[in-house]
């Protein structure tokens, strides 16, 4: 929490993760840094003596949820943070710890204050471009899409959870999947 609270929104603002989605991502980022540092998909298992999952509902290497599960058990920062953390853990599995850790930290620096999960997703995409010049673009988008943070995913509501609306999507950007996964064209005519 010390890292995310000081980095997101800049070092002079420490309340940027007090919004509903921001608080959840704060929990998710903290879990990610812990599981990455210890190379262990379960966090805090010694606290509750729960070998299978630790202090979370599932271990991150077997986690079944995705962005569409946001708020399934009521909007709770720890539960919803797991959805962000598992996506980051998947990213670590796909790109390796060194690349993922750099990417996650750089994205924190450009994530806006009171972010939505999609704004933070966009920061990950920008961070990949800045650090790796799209070398890991496909792998990043495959992970994002697999967990519902795909190209056409949307989210709004920077306040408390009662103002959140979101749409999970499992698609790649059109440039990475030409002719596939494109949203339908909608047209209407006034008569």
């Amino acid at each position: 929490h010390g890292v995310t609270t000081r980095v997101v929104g800049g070092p002079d603002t420490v309340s940027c993760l007090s919004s509903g989605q921001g608080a959840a991502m704060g929990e998710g980022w903290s879990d990610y840094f812990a599981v990455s540092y210890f190379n262990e998909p379960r966090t805090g298992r010694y606290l509750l003596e729960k070998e299978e999952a630790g202090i979370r509902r599932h271990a991150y290497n077997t986690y079944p949820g995705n962005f569409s599960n946001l708020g399934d058990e009521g909007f709770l920062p720890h539960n919803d943070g797991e959805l962000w953390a598992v996506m980051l853990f998947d990213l670590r599995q796909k790109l390796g710890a060194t690349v993922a850790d750099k990417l996650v930290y750089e994205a924190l620096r450009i994530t806006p204050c009171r972010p939505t999960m999609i704004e933070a997703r966009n920061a990950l995409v920008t961070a990949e471009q800045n650090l790796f010049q799209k070398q890991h673009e496909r792998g990043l988008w495959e992970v994002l899409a697999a967990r519902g943070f795909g190209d056409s995913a949307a989210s709004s509501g920077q306040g408390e959870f009662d103002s959140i609306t979101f749409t999970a999507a499992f698609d790649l950007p059109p440039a990475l999947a030409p002719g596939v996964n494109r949203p339908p064209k909608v047209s209407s005519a006034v008569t």
Side-chain angles (χ1 to χ4, degrees):
H1 290 291
V3 172
T4 57
T5 301
R6 295 296 290 180
V7 175
V8 173
D12 297 329
T13 307
V14 294
S15 61
C16 283
L17 298 178
S18 60
S19 64
Q21 291 181 72
M25 286 185 293
E27 295 298 333
W29 279 312
S30 295
D31 277 9
Y32 170 77
F33 284 126
V35 298
S36 185
Y37 180 80
F38 290 108
N39 194 29
E40 167 59 56
R42 300 162 293 181
T43 184
R45 67 178 197 244
Y46 58 90
L47 289 174
L48 302 176
E49 297 180 7
K50 288 176 59 182
E51 279 297 311
E52 289 182 18
I55 60 174
R56 300 299 178 229
R57 294 174 292 175
H58 303 276
Y60 287 120
N61 62 336
T62 60
Y63 202 93
N66 62 59
F67 187 41
S68 70
N69 300 114
L70 186 70
D72 275 2
E73 296 180 19
F75 291 106
L76 301 168
H78 287 103
N79 288 356
D80 293 328
E82 292 174 9
L83 305 173
W84 188 251
V86 71
M87 181 274 296
L88 297 176
F89 185 80
D90 289 352
L91 191 61
R92 183 182 192 272
Q93 297 296 96
K94 180 106 173 168
L95 303 181
T98 302
V99 170
D101 288 351
K102 286 180 183 178
L103 184 58
V104 170
Y105 183 77
E106 179 64 20
L108 288 173
R109 294 176 3 93
I110 55 178
T111 297
C113 193
R114 302 179 66 75
T116 66
M117 290 185 173
I118 298 307
E119 289 171 326
R121 176 210 65 188
N122 294 343
L124 280 168
V125 171
T126 300
E128 192 283 327
Q129 292 169 357
N130 293 346
L131 290 172
F132 303 108
Q133 295 75 48
K134 297 188 176 186
Q135 179 182 354
H136 303 289
E137 180 184 32
R138 177 170 285 283
L140 170 61
W141 275 108
E142 286 173 352
V143 168
L144 291 168
R147 290 293 179 173
F149 296 98
D151 185 54
S152 60
S155 180
S156 65
Q158 295 175 323
E160 293 305 314
F161 282 112
D162 60 353
S163 65
I164 291 174
T165 59
F166 65 98
T167 303
F170 302 87
D171 58 335
L172 296 173
L176 295 177
V180 180
N181 294 325
R182 292 195 177 175
K185 291 184 179 181
V186 177
S187 62
S188 62
V190 177
T191 59

